[in-house]
Amino acid sequence: MSGDPNRVAGVCSGLPLGIQDLMWGTDNARVRNKSDQRILKSTARILCDMCPIQAECLAQSIIGREQHSRIGGIDVKARRLLRHRAEADGLDLSPSNPARTRILTTWIRDHPELVREVREQSSTREGRRRRSEDQYAYRHRETVESARRPE
């Protein structure tokens, strides 16, 4: 690692780039099996939760308005919710504020309960969406099968 010798590396920095892309990048669409996708996402979340620089990573993705994957252990919707919470708390996250990433990082470290809360809100919605898709697939399969049966 070059640069600042005091800089702490993230947990993900030790993983091969291909694995990083599958877990946090847009490459996770290559994994066709939904169960495997869920395992990758939950493993990524666990690694993020263990990471010493989770707050920095999360703050950078929020400030940069990253629109893909699960960064810092939470998805895009949860990051948007967290940004709204921080702004409602009075944080100036405008582009004209050069200290916005540092300020947001400190706020995230000071409010771990809000990170958990937005993650739960997001995963609850995600769970409902997933169950709805599964129910639709089941009903569609039943309709197709009943249409094939001779009467």
Side-chain angles (χ1 to χ4, degrees):
M1 181 166 55
S2 62
D4 183 358
N6 297 321
R7 185 180 171 109
V8 176
V11 170
C12 61
S13 68
L15 296 173
L17 291 177
I19 299 296
Q20 290 182 34
D21 287 344
L22 284 173
M23 295 178 89
W24 292 281
T26 55
D27 260 4
N28 62 7
R30 283 190 341 205
V31 178
R32 301 263 186 245
N33 184 317
K34 295 290 184 187
S35 176
D36 290 346
Q37 285 180 359
R38 282 193 282 271
I39 290 169
L40 283 170
K41 286 180 181 180
S42 65
T43 303
R45 187 184 72 228
I46 290 167
L47 290 174
C48 287
D49 286 348
M50 294 171 26
C51 188
I53 62 166
Q54 179 186 24
E56 290 88 343
C57 188
L58 188 51
Q60 287 176 359
S61 70
I62 290 170
I63 294 299
R65 296 183 188 267
E66 180 63 47
Q67 296 298 309
H68 300 287
S69 95
R70 189 174 292 268
I71 299 174
I74 62 176
D75 64 16
V76 176
K77 288 180 183 178
R79 291 194 302 268
R80 285 186 200 132
L81 287 170
L82 202 55
R83 182 184 185 105
H84 292 305
R85 289 283 184 93
E87 290 174 331
D89 261 6
L91 270 65
D92 175 13
L93 302 180
S94 67
S96 62
N97 182 357
R100 63 190 175 163
T101 303
R102 183 180 47 78
I103 291 168
L104 183 58
T105 300
T106 301
W107 183 85
I108 289 169
R109 281 198 189 112
D110 291 345
H111 296 86
E113 73 285 354
L114 293 179
V115 175
R116 282 191 301 276
E117 184 181 314
V118 297
R119 177 189 286 158
E120 288 172 12
Q121 288 175 354
S122 177
S123 66
T124 300
R125 281 191 217 120
E126 185 177 314
R128 278 196 304 263
R129 180 188 53 76
R130 193 178 310 127
R131 285 188 298 276
S132 175
E133 288 173 357
D134 291 347
Q135 289 170 355
Y136 172 79
Y138 176 77
R139 283 192 299 259
H140 181 70
R141 191 171 40 249
E142 286 289 313
T143 304
V144 169
E145 288 174 6
S146 67
R148 289 183 184 163
R149 287 186 214 133
E151 305 224 303

